Amino acid sequence: MSNEAVALSAWVGRSETVQDTITPTPLVALAATLDHPAATVAAGTQLPPLWHWLYFLPMHRQSEIGADGHARRGGFLPPVPLPRRMWAGSQFSFHAPIRVGDAVARTSTIDDVRSKSGRTGQLVFVKVRHEVRCNGAADPALVEFHDIVYREAQGPGDVAPPPQAAAPGTWRREIVPDDVLLFRYSALTFNGHRIHYDRKYVTEVEGYPGLIVHGPLIATLLMDLLWRQMPGAEVADFRFKAVRPTFDLHPFHVNGELQADGKTVRLWASDHEGWLTMDATAVLR
């Protein structure tokens, strides 16, 4: 193991806890962003799955922000010396409702740090465990594992991995990822990462062809599709994996279908060419 890998592995086990209160305004704002009709959000309203991402926002001072719009490396997350950072996927267990008015605490722990060489160079994977508790409860209402991947800068000879074909699902909805949608979601989650709104930066510095649609936004749209088709469905577990970046250059689709067991829902996103960009599974109670 290299000295750098040893240094990064020292971050495993680090933990921090932040507090918040589930207020209604972010829920109203995200509902509008997802194109739902206006509705009153009363005290006691249950959060839809994944909408907890509207809380525990990263309130870094402006002087702490790095060139990519994220906080500078170090602090809670390990100081990985690679320039490109992406949300690779997440796994969730939902144990109890989170409701408007709840006082919530999120304890985050660095669960694992791994370094490897891939087809496009050095990669570092960081897995963070989040536990969300409501109103001082001993047991978490939600457990989330968040997978982050750090990559080397785009090289002139880099070739994208072979795409996977994605068939249309029983459920299917077209999404137009315009600048306004990406800006609103960045604002709602206080996400300053420039790949989502700064076209000059994302094309000239990181080497992508267009603005990148947030992985969490696509995951939220997949879960939103499930709730549109099965209103109020109780989700016990959910997991998603980003397969390819989705850019703002064309509409994309979110797809889904209930499996034969009546409890498993397969969900996936596909780009304008029909290639798979995100793969997900939800398990209902």
Side-chain angles (χ1 to χ4, degrees), residues 12 34 109 175 224 226 243 270 281:
V12 174
L34 299 182
T109 305
I175 306 296
D224 183 65
L226 188 159
V243 178
S270 54
T281 302

Side-chain angles (χ1 to χ4, degrees), residues 171 222-223 225-226 238 255-256 265-269 278-280 282:
W171 312 333
L222 290 175
M223 190 61 71
L225 178 68
L226 188 159
F238 177 69
N255 309 269
V265 180
R266 186 176 170 235
L267 298 157
W268 66 98
M278 180 173 286
D279 203 7

Side-chain angles (χ1 to χ4, degrees), residues 96-115:
I98 302 174
R99 301 182 184 278
V100 172
D102 284 349
V104 286
R106 185 189 70 187
T107 299
S108 302
T109 305
I110 305 297
D111 193 68
D112 191 26
V113 180
R114 294 175 184 259
S115 179

Side-chain angles (χ1 to χ4, degrees), residues 197-258:
Y197 61 86
D198 187 335
R199 195 172 304 277
K200 182 178 176 68
Y201 171 84
V202 77
T203 57
E204 296 184 10
V205 177
E206 298 221 9
Y208 293 107
L211 299 177
I212 298 177
V213 182
H214 317 64
L217 173 57
I218 299 173
T220 299
L221 287 163
L222 290 175
M223 190 61 71
D224 183 65
L225 178 68
L226 188 159
W227 266 41
R228 287 173 185 265
Q229 298 295 325
M230 304 178 69
E234 290 192 29
V235 179
D237 296 282
F238 177 69
R239 61 182 55 232
F240 74 87
K241 179 181 179 181
V243 178
R244 291 168 64 88
T246 299
F247 302 104
D248 72 328
L249 305 175
H250 305 279
F252 67 94
H253 289 91
V254 288
N255 309 269
E257 56 188 21
L258 182 64

Side-chain angles (χ1 to χ4, degrees), residues 24-171:
T25 298
L27 305 184
V28 174
L30 182 55
T33 301
L34 299 182
D35 207 30
H36 287 286
T40 301
V41 176
T45 298
Q46 182 175 336
L47 263 64
L50 308 188
W51 289 35
H52 68 287
W53 282 331
L54 299 173
Y55 303 92
F56 311 110
L57 302 183
M59 300 293 186
H60 301 288
R61 297 171 58 193
Q62 187 66 19
S63 58
E64 297 171 341
I65 300 300
D68 63 356
H70 275 306
R72 290 193 178 92
R73 306 298 166 89
F76 173 65
L77 289 174
V80 179
L82 295 173
R84 294 197 290 168
R85 169 180 164 179
M86 300 291 288
W87 192 314
S90 286
Q91 308 87 48
F92 305 84
S93 297
F94 301 95
H95 300 289
I98 302 174
R99 301 182 184 278
V100 172
D102 284 349
V104 286
R106 185 189 70 187
T107 299
S108 302
T109 305
I110 305 297
D111 193 68
D112 191 26
V113 180
R114 294 175 184 259
S115 179
K116 62 178 267 188
S117 294
R119 182 178 45 80
T120 57
Q122 189 70 14
L123 300 167
V124 174
F125 298 90
V126 177
K127 183 179 283 288
V128 183
R129 177 187 176 98
H130 300 294
E131 296 183 345
V132 178
R133 292 174 170 79
C134 301
N135 306 313
D139 296 324
L142 164 66
V143 177
E144 171 187 358
F145 287 94
H146 171 193
D147 297 318
I148 306 166
V149 60
Y150 297 84
R151 300 176 180 272
E152 294 182 5
Q154 181 89 355
D158 288 356
V159 178
Q164 304 175 47
T170 306
W171 312 333

